[in-house]
């Protein structure tokens, strides 16, 4: 079984491929892009993007939107994680968090799945960790060097990241639903 993942981010593709491998689902990347809804809710962004991409490509797709919510910064950068990463980056976040004791932060990953002409469906995964005091680790991407779960940054975890991450959870939920829906459609003789 295979599914098209519309994303320009190769790191997301690598992680999704590893997670879905256990379910025998193959990821095919399409980097054609989709319009990003201006909304505070990553689920709304993922649903809108999936519907748009499915209707444009005329086949089923998934898209995935990630938000990072830092409690001490009232949820900043939230759905603007990509823009903030490209502007101030990890060094900028660490500067904003200098001397701040409350360091909890939550990553949310929402997958939007859609077939042409159908309503999109969302699958969400979240994990709460801590903004590290300094960058640590060589792996991963984006905010991974400053995101700690139980004292270890995502960038130091290697393949373990997928077992605890927001994306690991959202893609696992998607995989279970996707396999079930294919099975149901075979039984119904579609
Ligand atoms: P798309 O084409 O899929 O939209 P993107 O990189 O723009 O790719 P997002 O808007 O969902 O994706 O991601 C926002 C940013 O958050 C992204 O640019 C990364 O810097 C960061 N990010 C996403 N997932 C992450 C993860 O698992 N670990 C660390 N940083 C992550």
């Amino acid at each position: 079984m295979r599914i098209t993942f519309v994303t320009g981010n190769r790191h997301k593709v690598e992680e999704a491929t590893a997670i879905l491998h256990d379910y025998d689902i193959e990821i095919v990347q399409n980097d054609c892009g989709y319009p990003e809804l201006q909304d505070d809710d990553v689920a709304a962004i993922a649903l809108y993007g999936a519907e748009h991409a499915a209707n444009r490509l005329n086949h089923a797709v998934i898209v995935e939107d990630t938000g990072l919510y830092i409690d001490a910064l009232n949820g900043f950068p939230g759905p603007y994680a990509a823009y903030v990463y490209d502007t101030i980056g990890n060094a900028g976040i660490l500067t904003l968090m200098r001397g701040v004791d409350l360091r909890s932060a939550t990553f949310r990953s929402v997958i939007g799945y859609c077939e042409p002409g159908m309503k999109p469906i969302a699958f969400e995964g979240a994990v709460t960790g801590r903004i590290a005091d300094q960058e640590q680790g060589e792996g991963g991407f984006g905010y991974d060097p400053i995101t700690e779960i139980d004292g270890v940054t995502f960038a130091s975890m290697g393949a373990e990241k997928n077992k605890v991450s927001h994306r690991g959870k959202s893609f696992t939920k998607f995989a279970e639903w996707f396999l079930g829906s294919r099975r149901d459609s075979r039984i119904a003789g579609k």
Side-chain angles (χ1 to χ4, degrees):
M1 242 174 291
R2 51 168 59 181
I3 183 73
T4 298
F5 184 10
V6 179
T7 177
N9 186 324
R10 70 178 174 85
H11 302 284
K12 287 186 180 182
V13 175
E14 280 167 18
E15 291 185 4
T17 299
I19 298 159
L20 296 189
H21 177 80
D22 292 348
Y23 294 87
D24 237 352
I25 302 170
E26 184 193 343
I27 289 277
V28 179
Q29 182 183 9
N30 184 318
D31 63 2
C32 68
Y34 56 89
E36 284 225 1
L37 190 68
Q38 291 302 305
D39 198 292
D40 287 348
D41 183 10
V42 282
I45 298 168
L47 289 167
Y48 180 84
E51 188 167 20
H52 189 278
N55 288 328
R56 189 165 69 159
L57 296 171
N58 207 27
H59 59 73
V61 301
I62 53 171
V63 308
E64 190 248 28
D65 202 55
T66 307
L68 173 64
Y69 303 81
I70 302 175
D71 291 328
L73 304 179
N74 293 332
F76 176 87
Y80 308 106
Y83 178 72
V84 169
Y85 184 78
D86 290 342
T87 50
I88 64 171
N90 288 332
I93 295 288
L94 291 179
T95 301
L96 290 173
M97 293 295 286
R98 196 175 291 152
V100 176
D101 290 334
L102 175 67
R103 303 191 75 84
S104 51
T106 300
F107 258 120
R108 280 181 75 199
S109 156
V110 179
I111 296 169
Y113 169 86
C114 195
E115 296 171 24
M118 306 291 275
K119 280 196 161 179
I121 308 172
F123 303 87
E124 176 167 347
V127 65
T128 298
R130 179 180 181 280
I131 299 298
D133 299 316
Q134 58 200 19
E135 294 191 43
Q136 196 150 36
E138 303 298 321
F141 69 102
Y143 299 100
D144 281 350
I146 61 164
T147 308
E148 252 177 37
I149 309 291
D150 296 330
V152 182
T153 64
F154 274 149
S156 308
M157 285 185 194
E160 292 298 300
K161 176 185 172 188
N162 291 336
K163 295 190 182 152
V164 293
S165 75
H166 46 301
R167 186 163 299 107
K169 292 177 184 174
S170 62
F171 271 92
T172 298
K173 276 189 196 167
F174 166 73
E176 282 166 4
W177 172 83
F178 190 62
L179 289 185
S181 75
R182 297 299 102 161
R183 205 175 304 122
D184 292 349
S185 64
R186 276 202 308 275
I187 291 166
K190 286 186 207 160

